[in-house]
Amino acid sequence: SEAADLLGLMHYMESMRLVTVLQLVPPTSDENVTVTDTEFNNVPVRLFLPKRAPGGLRRAMVYFHGGGWCLGDAGMKPYDHVSRRISNELNAVVVSVNYRLAPEHRFPIPFEDVFSVTKFFLQSEVLSQYGVDPARVCVAGDSAGGNLAAAVAQQLLEDPEVKTKLKAQILLYPALQALDLNLPSYQDNDNKPLLPGSLMVRFWSEYFTSDPALREAMASNRHVPAESGHLFQFVNWSRWLPAEMRRAHVYGGPSFGGARLAREYPGFLAPRASPLLASDALLRRLPPAYVLTCEHDVLRDDGVMYARRLRAAGVPVTHHHAKDAFHAAMMFILWPTELAVGHRLFNAYVDWLNENL
């Protein structure tokens, strides 16, 4: 991807998307679940409806796939499989959202798409149409999708038109802040499989702009201006990380950059893009959370800090930290990339949903 980008043959993310295309599967119903591609509020979704008798109103999940806001699709085989199993095993309606992607559609468009779908689905007449219990709806997502799920859960609280309250938010190895990209987890896992630190920086910068100046500033962790320094209280890992994750790392405080980037691309300082920057007053109104973090993952500390901030705000949190797992491990449940750790994480996730949704 980097070679094609440098040679001007294809944008970096366009060539990365070839992986997505190779994994796409059509919407195929089976004996348990009806699967269709449709639209909610003009945004494409893959809809999973269980076939067995509901025995009352069903629960529901609105799901946002990962891929750094630039890649991914609800129709990729792992996402299709996971949504299908959740729909069948929990007798739940699953709405898997195909939001528009960067770099063609930068922040806030991906967020606006997922928020639009969620707000549409939460209308009482729509929930009634699909036989969904309004008291048993959650948002969920992995990686960049976890970012979107956290942001949607926060934004729903600020929208007076939304009457239905979420039952839960499920954040699977989420990306939650673009302020400090030199956390201990970034340092410890800079070259670990699937999501090296340089790729995460590329995803973050592409979410906001093609300006290489932002990517370079993020890579050196000098993209936040001094006048935004007060935001670092929310991502101060010396306070929010447990000792076993701080290890030998010493917190040195933020390194500030100039004001231009934040002035031209203010999105990376907004809670809609960095949900970890939300105030305590907002956090304490959020629904219960399930947060999955993986030890060998640059995003580990984002999820850990959010779980601890939510807990400190009085929100019920189940934080599952997998010490033997890497980023996106839960998707490794299909041949030929099937791993025991993937099945273990998925089963724990489904068990929690069964008990709490």
Side-chain angles (χ1 to χ4, degrees):
S1 295
E2 286 186 11
D5 197 31
L6 287 169
L7 293 169
L9 301 175
M10 189 182 292
H11 187 281
Y12 183 85
M13 293 304 170
E14 283 185 300
S15 50
M16 291 279 284
R17 279 184 201 156
L18 295 175
V19 178
T20 299
V21 173
L22 291 172
Q23 294 195 60
L24 289 179
V25 293
T28 307
S29 302
D30 58 30
E31 67 274 15
N32 300 311
V33 181
T34 300
V35 183
T36 53
D37 282 347
T38 183
E39 289 187 352
F40 280 1
N41 227 16
N42 299 314
V43 178
V45 301
R46 181 160 289 193
L47 184 63
F48 299 80
L49 301 174
K51 287 184 176 178
R52 73 175 184 267
L57 293 175
R58 290 188 167 98
R59 40 198 166 184
M61 170 185 287
V62 185
Y63 193 87
F64 316 130
H65 67 75
W69 309 278
C70 298
L71 314 172
D73 193 287
M76 290 174 68
K77 192 173 182 180
Y79 288 120
D80 181 271
H81 176 78
V82 165
S83 295
R84 185 183 301 269
R85 283 189 57 182
I86 287 171
S87 180
N88 180 38
E89 294 178 27
L90 300 181
N91 204 19
V93 175
V94 178
V95 181
S96 191
V97 186
N98 264 328
Y99 53 92
R100 286 171 289 177
L101 300 173
E104 296 87 349
H105 305 284
R106 302 189 191 280
F107 176 83
I109 290 174
F111 166 79
E112 289 173 344
D113 280 357
V114 296
F115 185 77
S116 171
V117 168
T118 308
K119 184 174 176 178
F120 174 85
F121 186 68
L122 289 176
Q123 295 176 103
S124 56
E125 58 269 29
V126 178
L127 295 174
S128 177
Q129 177 184 345
Y130 293 105
V132 171
D133 185 343
R136 302 180 78 186
V137 183
C138 72
V139 290
D142 65 293
S143 194
N147 166 284
L148 295 169
V152 164
Q154 292 180 7
Q155 191 69 24
L156 287 171
L157 299 175
E158 304 286 279
D159 192 325
E161 295 179 0
V162 180
K163 307 302 181 188
T164 304
K165 304 295 183 186
L166 292 177
K167 180 72 180 291
Q169 53 178 325
I170 291 90
L171 315 176
L172 308 173
Y173 24 84
L176 295 170
Q177 59 84 35
L179 232 69
D180 188 347
L181 303 181
N182 195 38
L183 299 170
S185 59
Y186 274 83
Q187 298 178 51
D188 294 344
N189 302 298
D190 188 42
N191 293 301
K192 293 287 175 69
L194 293 186
L195 189 63
S198 59
L199 179 56
M200 192 62 228
V201 167
R202 182 76 186 246
F203 282 143
W204 270 121
S205 63
E206 291 286 356
Y207 192 26
F208 305 111
T209 177
S210 59
D211 185 347
L214 180 61
R215 185 163 76 247
E216 291 161 9
M218 283 182 159
S220 62
N221 213 36
R222 293 178 179 273
H223 54 292
V224 179
E227 51 265 39
S228 300
H230 62 284
L231 296 173
F232 278 93
Q233 65 181 303
F234 301 127
V235 298
N236 183 339
W237 56 264
S238 68
R239 176 185 179 189
W240 293 113
L241 283 186
E244 64 267 22
M245 291 184 181
R246 296 196 302 268
R247 295 191 184 94
H249 297 284
V250 178
Y251 187 73
S255 298
F256 296 114
R260 180 184 74 84
L261 293 172
R263 185 173 61 249
E264 294 184 13
Y265 317 113
F268 68 83
L269 299 175
R272 288 187 304 163
S274 293
L276 198 45
L277 304 185
S279 67
D280 293 342
L282 180 62
L283 293 189
R284 67 175 60 104
R285 297 164 55 207
L286 286 168
Y290 179 88
V291 182
L292 171 62
T293 55
C294 299
E295 179 67 25
H296 307 289
D297 182 3
V298 295
L299 297 179
R300 177 194 70 201
D301 295 350
D302 283 22
V304 172
M305 290 194 293
Y306 199 54
R308 288 168 74 92
R309 281 199 63 208
L310 287 171
R311 217 173 255 148
V315 177
V317 178
T318 299
H319 176 205
H320 181 188
H321 181 64
K323 292 186 176 181
D324 59 344
F326 52 89
H327 188 75
M330 203 185 82
M331 293 298 161
F332 285 72
I333 56 174
L334 289 172
W335 186 90
T337 56
E338 192 173 6
L339 298 173
V341 65
H343 286 287
R344 193 184 78 238
L345 298 182
F346 180 75
N347 291 338
Y349 164 57
V350 172
D351 287 346
W352 187 90
L353 287 169
N354 202 28
E355 293 176 15
N356 294 279
L357 181 60

